[in-house]
Amino acid sequence: MNAHERTFTHPARPTAVITGIGACLPPHVVDNDTVVARGDLRTDDAWIRDRTGIARRRHAGPGTSTGDLAVGAGRAALASAGDHHPEMLLLATSTPDHPCPATAPAVAHRLGLGTIPAFDIAAVCSGFLYALATATALVRSGTCSTILVIAADTYTSIVNPADRETAPIFGDGAGAVLLTAGTTDEPGAVTAVDLGADGSGSDLITVPYGGSRHPHRLPPPEPDARYFHMRGRTVYAHAVRRMTQSAGSVLRQADWGPETVRAFVGHQANQRILDSVGDRLGIAPAHRFGNIGELGNTAAASIPLVLADPAVHQAVAPGERSLLTAFGGGLTWASATLNWPAAVPRSEAPPAGPDTTPLCTPDLSRSHPWTASTTAS
Ligand code: COA
């Protein structure tokens, strides 16, 4: 550790502090047997649970978009924080409502936030931490004092239901945090961040068709090229390596030993990946939290959905040391150290979209909890 790293957290410095936390989940709970039957997949519930840790997930119906979930989560985070007026909105997503324009301005409009700057951040499953790091830098620089960060994805809109390597893994959802200017000694403070990317692996997680490389005016290179593709085994190895390295790096930057971390929240990609990263970092299973069993991989939303889980807030006290780490397509990775927030999380049901009608009447009070668990339990 050098002198610069030490001054990063000692003494207290200006930073962004989480003062509101929100979640929005579609109400349809889909178990493994249903996913298998729908896609006529050559797999079963036992394989999916054993190899991924996933038992069920939420699916947005055809009437519910990423933007709808983002509005629900953003509204919940603002309610959690009290009466706040963010000066900027960042939306982390890789499943935007439309290829063009970005989804964030419409979400800001629907939240009644006027003409504040609003833009999307596309870092796939690392998106929330990329957005958190960007917002933290903007707060530290004095550019903004309050920023709403939302992470929302509906992977059911891009996953092939007949692909057994992806269809069982992904679920839909959104999480959000309100960041407010504060200092590094407060509960909710972001104390250090680490970001990285390696485009040499950009073909490992991809939707090949529909961008400028293979535009819609040309025939698709493969019949299923419009769908999401992931080279699972290769991605698995990258995910373990990069999350371990990045989390280790941010811990050194914060001058925190792994044994002092009371809440480890990794991107909910696969329970075996999370176990492996936690073991390599030396974080006790009792301090690892997640929701993959109940929600699957909700892409950018997976970390804020753990931050929004009331069960985790019962287990972790405000101010306790927390470590967040993620890995995703790009390839991208990101980590952050955080004092566990004091904000009380709120949940909202997805609102009706501006031009569609949801097929269901959501009632999250009955479908909750999505109940996080530690790997020790
Ligand atoms: N049911 C049955 N068999 C399956 C299967 C399923 N749902 N999914 C994959 N398999 C098969 C594979 O086709 C492969 O068969 P083969 O040996 O004949 O080629 C075999 O199981 C083993 O493949 P492997 O990739 O080693 O399986 P796995 O145990 O690693 O599990 C994933 C597959 C996709 C669950 C896993 O690789 C994974 O989670 N990858 C990373 C996900 C991730 O990190 N995402 C982060 C970015 S979002």
Side-chain angles (χ1 to χ4, degrees):
M1 182 185 53
N2 60 36
H4 168 74
E5 286 172 344
R6 184 173 291 284
T7 58
F8 198 77
T9 52
H10 308 291
R13 289 175 33 140
T15 192
V17 174
I18 294 177
T19 53
I21 306 175
C24 178
L25 291 168
H28 304 295
V29 178
V30 181
D31 64 18
N32 289 339
D33 288 336
T34 305
V35 170
V36 170
R38 256 185 213 166
D40 195 17
L41 305 179
R42 291 169 295 111
T43 186
D44 55 35
D45 174 61
W47 194 99
I48 297 166
R49 283 178 192 255
D50 184 52
R51 305 302 289 170
T52 70
I54 299 167
R56 55 194 71 81
R57 74 286 292 146
R58 303 294 180 92
H59 280 185
T64 303
S65 75
T66 293
D68 298 336
L69 299 178
V71 168
R75 195 174 281 153
L78 293 172
S80 157
D83 188 19
H84 273 279
H85 300 285
E87 296 156 23
M88 188 179 288
L89 188 155
L90 307 188
L91 173 61
T93 188
S94 48
T95 51
D97 283 6
H98 309 280
C100 176
T103 305
V107 170
H109 171 71
R110 292 173 65 191
L111 287 169
L113 300 179
T115 56
I116 63 168
F119 57 98
D120 289 3
I121 289 188
V124 196
C125 298
S126 307
F128 173 72
L129 292 183
Y130 261 68
L132 188 81
T134 304
T136 298
L138 288 164
V139 169
R140 283 181 184 162
S141 71
T143 307
C144 294
S145 59
T146 313
I147 301 181
L148 182 59
V149 172
I150 308 176
D153 270 311
T154 48
Y155 263 62
T156 49
S157 65
I158 57 172
V159 159
N160 181 353
D163 177 3
R164 70 175 181 173
E165 299 205 25
T166 56
I169 292 178
F170 288 93
D172 302 330
V177 295
L178 188 76
L179 292 170
T180 307
T183 54
T184 50
D185 57 351
E186 296 179 50
V190 179
T191 57
V193 295
D194 177 76
L195 302 178
D198 177 6
S200 70
S202 60
D203 60 333
L204 298 177
I205 296 173
T206 180
V207 179
Y209 185 53
S212 57
R213 179 69 61 198
H214 295 291
H216 280 132
R217 68 185 151 74
L218 301 176
E222 308 287 342
D224 65 348
R226 70 187 67 244
Y227 288 117
F228 175 83
H229 291 253
M230 178 171 70
R231 300 217 329 246
R233 190 177 294 176
T234 310
V235 168
Y236 187 110
H238 281 289
V240 171
R241 178 167 146 246
R242 293 303 189 181
M243 283 201 282
T244 304
Q245 286 175 344
S246 178
S249 168
V250 84
L251 283 176
R252 284 191 297 282
Q253 200 186 140
D255 196 15
W256 290 1
E259 72 286 353
T260 69
V261 171
R262 290 292 167 268
F264 170 68
V265 182
H267 167 53
Q268 305 290 294
N270 183 315
Q271 188 59 51
R272 291 184 296 130
I273 292 175
L274 292 163
D275 293 343
S276 186
V277 173
D279 290 348
R280 286 165 192 236
L281 288 169
I283 292 169
H287 300 310
R288 305 174 193 168
F289 294 92
N291 54 28
I292 189 166
E294 297 301 311
L295 299 183
N297 180 346
T298 50
S302 83
I303 287 177
L305 281 169
V306 179
L307 296 180
D309 192 322
V312 186
H313 285 259
Q314 287 184 353
V316 186
E320 288 194 309
R321 292 181 173 184
S322 314
L323 172 63
L324 317 178
T325 188
F327 177 85
L331 302 169
T332 56
W333 55 88
S335 299
T337 50
L338 171 78
N339 301 331
W340 188 258
V344 177
R346 297 274 296 259
S347 292
E348 294 233 353
D355 48 19
T356 51
T357 306
L359 297 179
C360 52
T361 307
D363 181 355
L364 279 185
S365 62
R366 277 189 296 165
S367 53
H368 191 266
W370 59 90
T371 312
S373 60
T374 69
T375 50
S377 61

XYZ file of all heavy atoms in Angstrom, residues 42-43 47-48 51-52 125 164-165 168-170 205 230 232-233 235-236 239 267 269-270 272-273 297 327-329, ligand 1:
282
model
N -33.106 -29.981 -22.686
C -32.561 -31.279 -22.259
C -31.790 -31.071 -20.945
O -30.580 -31.145 -20.875
C -31.643 -31.832 -23.334
C -32.354 -32.257 -24.607
C -31.373 -32.558 -25.734
N -30.657 -31.355 -26.144
C -29.363 -31.120 -25.938
N -28.591 -32.014 -25.346
N -28.810 -30.002 -26.337
N -32.540 -30.768 -19.889
C -31.946 -30.603 -18.561
C -33.060 -30.782 -17.539
O -34.191 -31.106 -17.898
C -31.268 -29.221 -18.425
O -30.581 -29.159 -17.191
C -32.270 -28.090 -18.505
N -30.169 -30.602 -12.112
C -28.938 -30.110 -12.759
C -28.804 -28.613 -12.536
O -27.734 -28.107 -12.167
C -28.948 -30.413 -14.260
C -27.588 -30.234 -14.912
C -26.690 -31.208 -15.198
C -26.984 -28.995 -15.336
N -25.559 -30.665 -15.766
C -25.704 -29.307 -15.861
C -27.377 -27.664 -15.317
C -24.834 -28.349 -16.371
C -26.504 -26.689 -15.817
C -25.254 -27.051 -16.344
N -29.890 -27.890 -12.741
C -29.829 -26.422 -12.645
C -29.480 -26.007 -11.211
O -28.613 -25.155 -10.988
C -31.164 -25.795 -13.104
C -31.417 -26.121 -14.577
C -31.156 -24.290 -12.881
C -32.829 -25.855 -15.053
N -25.679 -27.094 -10.476
C -24.601 -26.440 -11.213
C -24.655 -24.912 -11.145
O -23.681 -24.246 -11.458
C -24.616 -26.864 -12.691
C -24.562 -28.352 -12.917
C -23.341 -28.983 -12.287
N -22.105 -28.648 -12.969
C -20.888 -28.921 -12.487
N -20.755 -29.514 -11.315
N -19.819 -28.581 -13.168
N -25.816 -24.334 -10.744
C -25.921 -22.869 -10.702
C -26.402 -22.330 -9.356
O -26.190 -21.156 -9.060
C -26.896 -22.342 -11.775
O -28.231 -22.706 -11.418
C -26.568 -22.906 -13.149
N -23.253 -7.143 -16.976
C -23.507 -7.480 -15.565
C -22.659 -6.660 -14.597
O -22.935 -6.656 -13.400
C -23.315 -8.976 -15.335
S -24.465 -9.974 -16.294
N -30.409 -24.233 -23.383
C -30.331 -24.719 -22.001
C -29.167 -24.097 -21.232
O -29.119 -24.167 -20.014
C -30.213 -26.239 -21.972
C -28.897 -26.781 -22.457
C -28.821 -28.276 -22.290
N -27.524 -28.764 -22.744
C -27.102 -30.001 -22.600
N -27.883 -30.883 -22.018
N -25.919 -30.361 -23.037
N -28.206 -23.488 -21.947
C -27.059 -22.889 -21.254
C -27.343 -21.475 -20.757
O -26.561 -20.933 -19.974
C -25.825 -22.903 -22.157
C -25.431 -24.312 -22.529
C -23.961 -24.462 -22.895
O -23.142 -23.655 -22.441
O -23.662 -25.406 -23.648
N -32.088 -21.129 -18.306
C -32.341 -21.349 -16.872
C -31.662 -20.328 -15.967
O -31.997 -20.231 -14.792
C -31.737 -22.747 -16.622
C -31.536 -23.359 -17.970
C -31.307 -22.213 -18.903
N -30.695 -19.605 -16.507
C -29.842 -18.784 -15.644
C -30.442 -17.409 -15.357
O -30.371 -16.921 -14.230
C -28.445 -18.630 -16.289
C -27.739 -19.980 -16.292
C -27.605 -17.578 -15.576
C -26.375 -19.957 -16.946
N -31.043 -16.792 -16.381
C -31.361 -15.368 -16.254
C -32.779 -15.102 -15.763
O -33.725 -15.828 -16.106
C -31.131 -14.664 -17.594
C -29.664 -14.542 -17.918
C -29.034 -15.516 -18.674
C -28.925 -13.490 -17.429
C -27.678 -15.435 -18.951
C -27.565 -13.399 -17.697
C -26.936 -14.374 -18.460
N -19.644 -13.150 -24.627
C -21.006 -12.836 -24.183
C -21.530 -11.819 -25.194
O -21.037 -10.690 -25.245
C -21.006 -12.236 -22.760
C -20.499 -13.249 -21.735
C -22.391 -11.733 -22.381
C -20.320 -12.683 -20.327
N -23.729 -17.021 -24.715
C -22.650 -16.979 -23.720
C -21.857 -18.274 -23.785
O -22.441 -19.359 -23.756
C -23.236 -16.799 -22.313
C -22.176 -16.795 -21.214
S -22.827 -16.339 -19.597
C -23.828 -17.772 -19.212
N -20.304 -20.364 -21.766
C -20.385 -20.466 -20.313
C -19.120 -20.920 -19.620
O -18.686 -20.302 -18.635
N -18.499 -21.979 -20.135
C -17.346 -22.543 -19.425
C -16.172 -21.551 -19.413
O -15.518 -21.355 -18.396
C -16.925 -23.855 -20.091
C -15.913 -24.627 -19.290
C -15.601 -25.947 -19.961
N -16.756 -26.848 -19.980
C -16.743 -28.035 -20.590
N -15.675 -28.446 -21.232
N -17.813 -28.792 -20.563
N -16.414 -18.235 -19.846
C -16.809 -17.073 -19.045
C -16.641 -17.376 -17.557
O -16.191 -16.524 -16.782
C -18.270 -16.687 -19.370
C -18.807 -15.687 -18.364
C -18.362 -16.122 -20.784
N -16.988 -18.579 -17.184
C -16.880 -18.997 -15.772
C -15.452 -18.752 -15.261
O -15.250 -18.141 -14.194
C -17.233 -20.476 -15.698
C -17.357 -21.076 -14.326
C -18.614 -21.459 -13.853
C -16.263 -21.298 -13.521
C -18.752 -22.039 -12.600
C -16.386 -21.877 -12.275
C -17.630 -22.246 -11.823
O -17.769 -22.815 -10.586
N -14.673 -15.092 -14.980
C -15.434 -14.456 -13.895
C -14.748 -14.687 -12.554
O -14.587 -13.758 -11.754
C -16.864 -14.989 -13.877
N -21.635 -10.442 -7.946
C -22.642 -10.557 -9.009
C -23.204 -11.971 -9.015
O -22.465 -12.964 -9.024
C -22.023 -10.215 -10.362
C -22.896 -10.601 -11.506
N -24.211 -10.203 -11.597
C -22.662 -11.383 -12.602
C -24.743 -10.709 -12.692
N -23.832 -11.428 -13.316
N -24.105 -14.612 -10.648
C -24.017 -15.303 -11.934
C -24.198 -16.801 -11.762
O -24.841 -17.464 -12.585
C -22.678 -15.019 -12.594
N -23.598 -17.329 -10.718
C -23.580 -18.776 -10.507
C -23.079 -18.990 -9.076
O -22.053 -18.413 -8.703
C -22.634 -19.431 -11.535
C -22.618 -20.946 -11.428
O -22.536 -21.510 -10.340
N -22.677 -21.602 -12.566
N -21.617 -21.384 -7.729
C -20.268 -21.970 -7.629
C -19.192 -20.910 -7.890
O -18.117 -20.954 -7.281
C -20.131 -23.139 -8.619
C -20.987 -24.352 -8.208
C -20.773 -25.525 -9.148
N -21.207 -25.228 -10.490
C -20.477 -25.420 -11.600
N -19.262 -25.922 -11.516
N -20.955 -25.116 -12.777
N -19.476 -19.956 -8.776
C -18.534 -18.847 -8.991
C -18.409 -18.024 -7.708
O -17.310 -17.683 -7.261
C -19.009 -17.947 -10.158
C -18.926 -18.693 -11.486
C -18.203 -16.647 -10.209
C -19.486 -17.923 -12.678
N -29.812 -14.962 -12.293
C -28.895 -13.883 -12.669
C -29.725 -12.747 -13.264
O -30.254 -12.876 -14.367
C -27.882 -14.419 -13.687
C -26.882 -13.373 -14.144
O -27.077 -12.177 -13.922
N -25.817 -13.823 -14.786
N -18.798 -9.075 -12.606
C -18.139 -9.425 -13.859
C -19.219 -9.545 -14.925
O -20.308 -10.056 -14.638
C -17.407 -10.771 -13.715
C -16.770 -11.231 -14.990
C -15.508 -10.786 -15.351
C -17.450 -12.090 -15.849
C -14.921 -11.198 -16.543
C -16.879 -12.500 -17.045
C -15.607 -12.058 -17.385
N -18.904 -9.117 -16.152
C -19.926 -9.233 -17.186
C -19.349 -9.162 -18.583
O -18.128 -9.123 -18.782
N -20.254 -9.129 -19.544
C -19.867 -9.077 -20.952
C -19.041 -7.845 -21.241
O -19.103 -6.828 -20.557
N -28.314 -28.843 -18.356
C -27.543 -29.901 -18.678
N -26.337 -29.771 -19.245
C -25.899 -28.524 -19.487
C -26.649 -27.377 -19.172
C -27.913 -27.582 -18.596
N -28.731 -26.536 -18.255
N -25.928 -26.289 -19.506
C -24.777 -26.740 -20.016
N -24.759 -28.071 -20.009
C -23.753 -28.976 -20.489
C -22.803 -28.356 -21.471
O -23.351 -28.382 -22.770
C -21.604 -29.277 -21.363
O -21.810 -30.393 -22.163
P -20.579 -31.029 -22.966
O -19.572 -31.453 -21.921
O -21.210 -32.167 -23.691
O -20.055 -29.943 -23.845
C -21.658 -29.731 -19.905
O -22.953 -29.370 -19.393
C -20.664 -29.056 -19.042
O -20.553 -27.723 -19.468
P -19.970 -26.641 -18.550
O -19.948 -25.327 -19.238
O -18.691 -27.131 -17.957
O -21.076 -26.633 -17.415
P -21.010 -25.795 -16.139
O -21.061 -26.674 -14.990
O -19.910 -24.806 -16.205
O -22.370 -24.957 -16.186
C -23.023 -22.750 -16.891
C -22.747 -24.178 -17.333
C -23.484 -21.920 -18.074
C -24.084 -22.765 -15.816
C -21.713 -22.176 -16.315
O -20.685 -22.388 -17.237
C -21.747 -20.740 -15.958
O -22.402 -20.383 -14.993
N -20.987 -19.907 -16.681
C -20.689 -18.537 -16.327
C -21.839 -17.632 -16.112
C -21.289 -16.292 -15.774
O -20.274 -16.130 -15.136
N -21.865 -15.248 -16.192
C -21.295 -13.938 -15.875
C -21.616 -13.011 -16.886
S -23.356 -12.754 -16.893
